[in-house]
Structure formats: C-alpha cells, structure tokens
Amino acid sequence: MSLDRSYDGQWHIKQMSIFLLKDEQTQSKHKNVPPLKLSQNIVVDERIVGFKGRHVLKQYISNKKAHRWGAKLFVLAESRTGYTHQINVYKGKRNTERHPNGQGYKSVMDLVRPHFGKNHHVTMDNWFSSPKLMNDLRNRGTYATGTVIARRKGLPASFKTARLPKGSVVVKSQRDLLAILYVDRRNVTFLTTSENARTVRKVNSKGRVVSAPSVVHKYNQTMGGVDLGDQLLLKFEPQFKGVKLWRKILFNLLTTATVNAYICYRNCFLVQRKLDHVKFQNAVVRGLIGDFRGGNRRRGRRPDNIPIANAIRMHFLDVIPDGKRRKCVKCSGYNKYRKSRISTWCSVCGVGLCVGRCFREKKISCCIKQMS
C-alpha cells in the first residue's frame, strides 16, 4: 500500500499502527493468531498524545488532565479491563472528509464496524452520541448508552428548557430508543437502547447509597475503560523532548502494546503468583534487549587516528616528586636562552613537559615513532 506523504500527517507510523492494533477482520486472516474476543461492554472515547509543538494534528481538549494539547486518538477499549482494541488517529478538519452525520458518528461507526451483530454494548459520551447513531447501531445488532447534548437533532424540544427539581426523571421513547432527562446537580440527558428508567439504589465509589435510574449506574460502570487504560499508560510513558509528533505517537503505540500484554497476562494466564505491572514491564524490557549492555558513549568528535589516541592515553602528566623542577623537552629546545624550569613531567617517559600543547605534541610524535 503506497502512502501519500503530501497530506497524511501520520504516514510515518501508519504501518506500525496497523501491525500493533489489528481488528478482528485482520487477525482472522492469520491462522496462528486467534481473534481476540472482547467482553460485552466496550467503550469509545478520546485519548490525547501529549505534544506542544506545531503540527496539523495537534488538538486541545480541556477535560484531559494528563495532556490537554496533542494528537487526538479515537479509542475502542474494554470497559472492565481497559484493554485497547482499536485506535484511529484524528487527522484534523483539513484532511478529513466531512460526514453528513458528524465526525462523532463517523468515528464510532468506524471503530465498532468489525463488531456488528455480536450484541456488544457501547458506551460513549456526549461528543459522540446522537439519536441517529443509537438507532443505526441498534439496527446492526449493537446496543449503546451515552450522555447526549440536549440540542442534538432528534431530541425532544422540552429537554432544552426543562426546569425541574433535583431527582426528577423525564422519559421519552421512540421504538427501542429511550431519551432520559435526569436532574442531579444539573440536567443530564441520556440515550440508551439497552437500559430503562427504573430507579435503582446502589452504592457509589464513596460508599454512599444513591438512588438513580438504571441507565445512570450503567453509564458510570462502563464508561471508564479508556481512562483506565490511560492510567496504566502514564506509569511508563516515555519522557523525552522532541519536535516530531510521529515519534510521540509511535512510542504511545508501543507502550499501549505492553499495557495490553500486561492486561492479557493478568486476566488470562493461570499462574500462582503473578508479577505486578512494574516487574512485568522490566521482564519485557530484559526479554527484548537480552544480554546487550550499551556503554557510555563519549560525546564529541571521533579521533582521526584511533591507535594514536589509545597510545596517548597510556601517558600521564604528573607533578615531579620531591619538589624537583626540570626543563621542558619540547619548548626548551626551540629557545636556548630560556632558563625557566617546570614542575610537571611524564612519569612514563621520565621527561619534563609543559601542561597542554607541549605534552600533546611530544606524545604524538613519540607514539608515531614507536608505532613505526
């Protein structure tokens, strides 16, 4: 497949992303790689790869605390484990064809298309969801739940101007689609094709018993899959500076692959004592590099003549013992009237030498004679 570099901002890492994150259709072509079976509850959300340089792919999302500036990724992940199954890189408004139903509709359909007809349940936030998307997913054998903006096309007009007391619930239905307005601290609108508006009492994360419609509990329970994956990614995110966004995305994909491997190891392999995330990451690194240990490379220009440089390292400039002073064999030969004496010498050769140029030039000439 040929890549056109003139418009595609991710052509550097496109083949790598296809290799690391394959959908089930791609995996089914390989006989030795069984397709990964996702759980029923999956989530579609956004992820930001931190980058503050100049690039056409750079976006800004205010509610992302880890990175607000960077490349936007549309991610499909498992709700329970945070396993990242598919990733699409947002190319920006300039390089993306305008969809009649909006970019959120197109992003969800592209990610969920390999899983149509398998009775999955997709959870999404209000940037993606719309009545059109919910109905199309239901017609393709996929359930969905999500918050929605009250101004979306197809929602009841009364939801926009509703003024109700706290705890009120308003339900509107259209075939299998329910639109639920729930008043908590503010008005929140939900769309669902799998839940109902029956009030359920459950214990929240703070240990308090909360009474809310079942769709609210379902949304809170299944929406955090991508955020869970982000938490695991931030533990080992490479910290390096650079002006190339494709490198940031590439290392994010590699880190995502290691996190996915750890999730599979933690949930699938039956061993008595399992490694924690840090030890697992260290084991992966040791398995990749093997016995290789890189030395401390000295920065600077490489010597033109390596044997001479190695020979010079055998000679050292030191202070003459017992406080004695000698003439420099290098500069005293040019000036016969010079009577000054120095206190440094080469302990290997036993001759007096000045610090700096005299020592360097004398030793080079001596080493050349010895090598010849």
Side-chain angles (χ1 to χ4, degrees), residues 101-118:
N101 296 321
Q103 182 62 37
Y105 177 95
K106 180 179 181 300
S107 302
V108 175
M109 295 298 286
D110 290 343
L111 291 172
V112 185
R113 184 172 288 108
H115 312 287
F116 285 159
K118 300 179 181 179

Side-chain angles (χ1 to χ4, degrees), residues 251-310:
F251 278 95
N252 183 273
L253 293 177
L254 293 175
T255 309
T256 302
T258 59
V259 170
N260 285 349
Y262 172 69
I263 293 174
C264 293
Y265 164 78
R266 184 182 60 186
N267 297 323
C268 300
F269 288 87
L270 300 178
V271 293
Q272 294 181 354
R273 296 184 61 182
K274 294 185 178 181
L275 302 176
D276 58 9
H277 199 178
V278 177
K279 294 181 180 179
F280 179 84
Q281 187 80 5
N282 293 334
V284 171
V285 172
R286 287 194 298 268
L288 291 175
I289 65 176
D291 297 332
F292 174 78
R293 295 294 182 270
N296 295 327
R297 187 178 65 178
R298 183 179 178 182
R299 294 184 178 181
R301 184 177 178 181
R302 187 180 180 88
D304 296 333
N305 197 324
I306 297 178
I308 294 178
N310 293 334

